[in-house]
Amino acid sequence: METVFTPLQSLAGGALIGVSAVLLMAILGRVMGATGIVAGFIAPRSLSDWTWRAAVLAGMVSGPLVVMLITGQMPDIQVPTSVPMLIVGGLIVGIGVTFGSGCTSGHGVCGMARLSPRSIVATLTFMLATGITVYVIRHIIGG
Amino acid sequence: MRLIVSYLIGLVFGVGISISGMANPAKVLNFFDVAGTWDPSLAFVMGGALFVTFAGYKLVLRNKTPVLGTVFQLPTRKDIDGQLIGGAAIFGIGWGIAGFCPGGALPALGTGRLEVLVFVISLIAGIYAAKAIQRTITPKQA
């Protein structure tokens, strides 16, 4: 499935992701990692620890609606993955990010921005693993 | 106050993810498909996010405390162990299969698409499963 190259939109979106990461650190002193925020949301340690996570998650979910209010269009979501593969992929992602202590936002953005060696190693590892997986699925199995 | 600010910060993240293309599995998978229908857009997402976060953290971490908190809760671990590398590799495999990562999928829930919900429920099940495994292999800390 072809997609259109969108350098400016992607750069602007990335900058906003960065702005949110900086604000969360500046105001609450927390890392903007989707994995960490969800993990603490589903297994809360205290009420005050749960409420800020719930509020951040509610904000995230409102994102596409605000984009629709501004542009008149829902963000494009094309899912080339079958439902069984979404379930398998979701389970594997959940296991991986828990053992790996983070995902693209936590390691790839916040950790890399602090030049954390753990995050740099994790990011290089998952980017490579994702690349190999996509290659195998599309060009070896599906080839 | 704390909750309103948290909501707005989540919203900025959600809007950023939505316009960046990270919520769109077709675009994410094409970024990795260098040998096929390559779409380099996601390099610009990472670039933009890293540039802003790198500069912003430098400024913010000069302060003694966060505005509405007592301490900056930064990860302190420095060790690179098998769980970090193995977990990251497993995550990559799942990301390559599904096309969604956690930060991309959570805002995408707001589109109301059923596929996103299926992924997020599976993701949460995976997190629970991994925590259960961790409890059995890691001795309880005294």
Side-chain angles (χ1 to χ4, degrees):
Chain A
M1 189 185 290
E2 298 256 357
T3 51
V4 183
F5 178 46
T6 53
L8 290 180
Q9 276 186 36
S10 290
L11 191 66
L16 284 180
I17 295 166
V19 168
S20 71
V22 173
L23 287 175
L24 192 64
M25 185 56 70
I27 298 172
L28 294 187
R30 291 289 186 154
V31 170
M32 180 53 103
T35 297
I37 291 174
V38 169
F41 173 77
I42 60 176
R45 272 169 293 176
S46 67
L47 184 64
S48 68
D49 184 66
W50 184 79
T51 49
W52 75 266
R53 294 169 191 273
V56 170
L57 289 171
M60 286 185 186
V61 174
S62 312
L65 301 170
V66 169
V67 169
M68 192 177 80
L69 286 176
I70 296 169
T71 66
Q73 266 190 325
M74 266 290 177
D76 232 2
I77 295 192
Q78 304 146 283
V79 186
T81 318
S82 68
V83 168
M85 283 296 116
L86 281 176
I87 295 173
V88 171
L91 285 169
I92 295 177
V93 169
I95 293 168
V97 294
T98 305
F99 279 104
S101 315
C103 56
T104 328
S105 46
H107 280 311
V109 176
C110 297
M112 294 261 286
R114 294 190 302 119
L115 304 178
S116 149
R118 274 174 63 85
S119 291
I120 293 170
V121 168
T123 305
L124 292 175
T125 305
F126 67 66
M127 295 296 273
L128 183 67
T130 311
I132 293 172
T133 305
V134 170
Y135 185 82
V136 168
I137 290 175
R138 292 198 171 175
H139 299 286
I140 295 181
I141 300 174
Chain B
M1 180 64 190
R2 196 162 157 270
L3 294 186
I4 295 170
V5 170
S6 300
Y7 176 82
L8 291 174
I9 292 172
L11 183 60
V12 173
F13 183 88
V15 170
I17 288 284
S18 299
I19 63 175
S20 73
M22 287 297 291
N24 186 351
K27 234 172 142 54
V28 171
L29 292 173
N30 277 350
F31 173 70
F32 290 100
D33 193 7
V34 182
T37 49
W38 192 43
D39 176 353
S41 302
L42 294 204
F44 290 75
V45 184
M46 282 295 265
L50 269 176
F51 178 78
V52 171
T53 309
F54 181 81
Y57 270 14
K58 283 247 184 277
L59 287 173
V60 164
L61 295 174
R62 279 189 203 158
N63 300 332
K64 288 210 172 60
T65 62
V67 178
L68 296 177
T70 51
V71 62
F72 290 112
Q73 305 204 17
L74 294 168
T76 50
R77 285 180 63 178
K78 297 266 183 283
D79 58 312
I80 290 165
D81 60 352
Q83 282 206 16
L84 178 79
I85 295 175
I90 292 170
F91 163 45
I93 293 169
W95 195 16
I97 292 172
F100 281 116
C101 62
L106 292 167
L109 275 177
T111 61
R113 290 280 294 268
L114 211 57
E115 298 103 314
V116 187
L117 188 62
V118 167
F119 175 83
V120 171
I121 290 171
S122 311
L123 165 74
I124 289 172
I127 294 175
Y128 274 120
K131 288 197 168 172
I133 298 167
Q134 277 178 332
R135 275 195 295 274
T136 63
I137 59 174
T138 321
K140 281 220 165 64
Q141 286 174 359

